[in-house]
């Protein structure tokens, strides 16, 4: 999602380039999944929230995606194996069982080609995350929030693996992007605008009406922002 950022009453720690970083962080983290889960629990699938070792995840994905697959050290391989074991232990002790939809707070790894987002264990989840540029963006945002915090900014963002109960009835052709301006739902579009879905030609208007009704009944009063995209 996106949110309008105010330029009034800015924190004192923001100077020079940190101002732009602040705007970017606010716009990208305001709609983090874990920030909103409690408010919309009844509307969302059951989920596990599992804290991740940020320095380790950042090193692993940086070596794989940024530096072209630099081999992991023995210590990094051991730490990764320990993290996977910890995640599997959380899954085993939870009433929520596989399969899961895998994501982080800000993004899911849906950009990974030829990979299913359905995962059954920690190994599959970690492997999927480490192949995603969208996940790399999340990690960059956490790192930036840590830098701003060190200069007097707010508490940094936390890195969490979120495993959602798998729903086989959700298809890409039924994902939509909605635009709200000054408290009014002004537009609805298909999420994947690069694909053509013939059934939307006929059912699109009906679906848009259903989305508008759902937004008015369930979302509008629970969202504090006048303008946003979801």
């Amino acid at each position: 999602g996106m949110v309008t950022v105010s330029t009034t009453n800015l924190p004192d720690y923001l100077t020079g380039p940190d101002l732009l970083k602040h705007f970017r962080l606010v716009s990208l983290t305001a709609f983090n999944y874990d920030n909103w889960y409690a408010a919309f629990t009844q509307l969302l699938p059951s989920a596990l929230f599992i804290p991740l070792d940020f320095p380790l995840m950042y090193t692993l994905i940086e070596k794989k995606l940024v530096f072209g697959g630099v081999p992991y050290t023995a210590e990094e391989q051991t730490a990764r194996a320990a993290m996977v074991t910890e995640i599997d232990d959380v899954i085993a002790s939870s009433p929520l069982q596989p399969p899961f939809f895998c994501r982080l707070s800000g993004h899911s790894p849906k950009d990974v080609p030829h990979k299913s987002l359905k995962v059954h264990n920690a190994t599959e989840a970690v492997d999927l995350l480490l192949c995603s540029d969208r996940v790399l963006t999340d990690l960059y945002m956490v790192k930036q929030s840590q830098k701003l915090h060190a200069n007097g900014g707010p508490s940094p963002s936390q890195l969490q693996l979120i495993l959602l109960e798998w729903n086989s009835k959700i298809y890409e052709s039924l994902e939509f992007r909605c635009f709200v301006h000054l408290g009014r739902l002004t537009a609805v579009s298909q999420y994947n605008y690069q694909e053509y879905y013939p059934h939307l030609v006929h059912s699109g208007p009906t679906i848009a009406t259903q989305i508008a009704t759902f937004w008015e009944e369930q979302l509008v009063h629970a969202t504090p922002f006048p303008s946003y995209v979801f």
Side-chain angles (χ1 to χ4, degrees):
M2 300 175 63
V3 60
T4 302
V5 181
S6 172
T7 58
T8 59
N9 300 318
L10 290 172
D12 293 336
Y13 70 88
L14 292 176
T15 58
D18 281 344
L19 184 62
L20 181 59
K21 295 174 185 176
H22 170 77
F23 287 159
R24 180 169 171 78
L25 277 172
V26 169
S27 64
L28 288 177
T29 61
F31 287 96
N32 274 359
Y33 196 90
D34 42 346
N35 291 342
W36 291 93
Y37 187 79
F40 297 106
T41 300
Q42 299 302 318
L43 304 176
L44 297 171
S46 300
L48 293 176
F49 294 83
I50 307 173
L52 292 177
D53 182 334
F54 170 72
L56 175 61
M57 284 294 294
Y58 191 88
T59 296
L60 295 178
I61 198 169
E62 190 174 47
K63 281 191 170 183
K64 185 177 182 67
L65 296 184
V66 180
F67 299 132
V70 174
Y72 300 142
T73 65
E75 291 80 7
E76 290 163 352
Q77 293 176 3
T78 300
R80 173 177 171 161
M83 179 176 64
V84 166
T85 298
E86 291 176 1
I87 296 171
D88 276 331
D89 288 345
V90 173
I91 294 173
S93 63
S94 169
L96 187 63
Q97 291 298 298
F100 303 109
F101 178 88
C102 168
R103 63 168 298 147
L104 294 186
S105 297
H107 295 91
S108 69
K110 64 173 61 178
D111 59 313
V112 179
H114 313 300
K115 287 279 191 176
S116 171
L117 295 179
K118 181 194 291 187
V119 300
H120 299 82
N121 53 54
T123 297
E124 292 179 2
V126 172
D127 286 348
L128 187 59
L129 294 175
L130 293 179
C131 293
S132 171
D133 287 326
R134 286 163 57 89
V135 168
L136 180 61
T137 297
D138 270 15
L139 295 175
Y140 278 150
M141 290 301 100
V142 173
K143 185 173 184 179
Q144 191 58 59
S145 70
Q146 291 178 342
K147 289 181 178 179
L148 291 178
H149 177 63
N151 292 326
S155 298
S157 303
Q158 301 300 310
L159 183 66
Q160 294 193 90
L161 168 64
I162 304 174
L163 298 176
L164 302 170
E165 185 176 22
W166 183 262
N167 187 340
S168 59
K169 296 180 180 180
I170 296 179
Y171 300 96
E172 187 177 60
S173 64
L174 294 177
E175 293 186 60
F176 300 92
R177 182 67 81 201
C178 304
F179 300 81
V180 176
H181 179 64
L182 298 179
R184 294 179 60 250
L185 182 64
T186 58
V188 175
S189 70
Q190 65 185 60
Y191 180 83
N192 187 355
Y193 60 88
Q194 295 177 321
E195 294 292 334
Y196 172 68
Y197 303 111
H199 70 276
L200 292 182
V201 175
H202 305 289
S203 60
T206 300
I207 292 174
T209 298
Q210 292 172 336
I211 290 174
T213 299
F214 177 80
W215 175 76
E216 291 174 356
E217 295 178 351
Q218 303 288 346
L219 302 180
V220 63
H221 299 297
T223 308
F225 305 109
S227 302
Y228 52 93
V229 180
F230 68 97

